Amino acid sequence: MMNLELSLFNVAIVIAIYESFHAYLFYKSREIEKKGRISIRILNNEEENAIALNSFFFRNTIVFLSNEINEKILRHEEGHLKQPNYIYAFLLLVAALLPLSYIIAVPAVFIGKFLLWKMERDADLYAYRLYNVKYESDVFRPKSRIERLKAWIFDTHPPDYMRKIEEYYDKK
């Protein structure tokens, strides 16, 4: 019985943190445009990036962290809104199962990382297929294997040097 209560508590914590983060971004930003069902908001931060809000309470919203809309970033984030939020579902599942067996923590890290890479690649492919938008970066492939490994491990997206090559956009 204790494990069930702990599982529910963990799920409640994940929902509270995830939804609170999305609520913060939503209410701190202001809407500047509505494209169909998608609300586009800006946060007036100085970072050239955006976040797609795709949770229980905050859906179909893209928050730009800067005060400008970048069309390429918009198309990528639009791809995130079109896909199921696998990461949120995965976090809820892991939160529920973790009290039953702590051994799942190790494979959960690898599975979560794989899901992140898949979601990011799918969003990149969405932007490419529908709008012919490719990721642009001036980052080159590091010569050091350790630097390449760090680029794969410590980022939520596939490495920049991978996202800008032509083969990345092959459907395989």
Side-chain angles (χ1 to χ4, degrees):
M1 186 64 167
M2 183 61 146
N3 285 344
L4 177 63
E5 292 166 351
L6 193 53
S7 291
L8 292 175
F9 177 74
N10 286 351
V11 168
I13 292 292
V14 168
I15 291 172
I17 291 171
Y18 203 90
E19 297 295 338
S20 295
F21 176 66
H22 281 199
Y24 172 79
L25 289 173
F26 186 85
Y27 292 115
K28 192 84 171 159
S29 62
R30 65 183 167 83
E31 185 175 72
I32 58 164
E33 192 175 342
K34 192 112 169 137
K35 290 187 176 188
R37 294 181 333 149
I38 298 175
S39 170
I40 300 170
R41 305 175 72 85
I42 58 172
L43 191 60
N44 285 335
N45 225 351
E46 295 304 317
E47 186 177 341
E48 188 180 0
N49 205 346
I51 297 174
L53 304 185
N54 191 6
S55 63
F56 292 136
F57 301 111
F58 301 94
R59 303 191 66 68
N60 296 323
T61 302
I62 298 172
V63 177
F64 280 85
L65 302 180
S66 65
N67 56 1
E68 294 180 7
I69 294 177
N70 179 318
E71 203 63 30
K72 292 182 178 188
I73 293 174
L74 174 66
R75 298 307 173 202
H76 172 87
E77 296 303 324
E78 185 181 304
H80 284 304
L81 294 180
K82 301 289 183 188
Q83 61 190 200
N85 193 341
Y86 295 115
I87 289 299
Y88 196 17
F90 180 71
L91 288 173
L92 292 172
L93 180 68
V94 169
L97 295 178
L98 198 58
L100 304 176
S101 174
Y102 293 111
I103 293 174
I104 69 163
V106 174
V109 170
F110 295 107
I111 294 168
K113 191 68 172 168
F114 171 78
L115 286 175
L116 273 173
W117 290 334
K118 179 171 179 12
M119 287 177 67
E120 291 301 334
R121 183 161 190 272
D122 288 349
D124 285 337
L125 292 176
Y126 172 88
Y128 176 66
R129 280 194 307 265
L130 267 63
Y131 302 102
N132 202 28
V133 170
K134 289 185 182 179
Y135 183 79
E136 295 176 0
S137 175
D138 57 356
V139 175
F140 292 97
R141 183 177 186 257
K143 292 186 188 327
S144 163
R145 278 188 175 173
I146 292 176
E147 291 301 315
R148 290 194 303 270
L149 186 62
K150 284 182 357 189
W152 279 103
I153 293 174
F154 296 116
D155 199 354
T156 58
H157 293 68
D160 288 356
Y161 67 89
M162 288 296 298
R163 293 172 76 191
K164 70 179 190 176
I165 63 174
E166 196 68 35
E167 292 84 20
Y168 178 75
Y169 295 95
D170 288 344
K171 208 171 183 182
K172 300 179 242 165

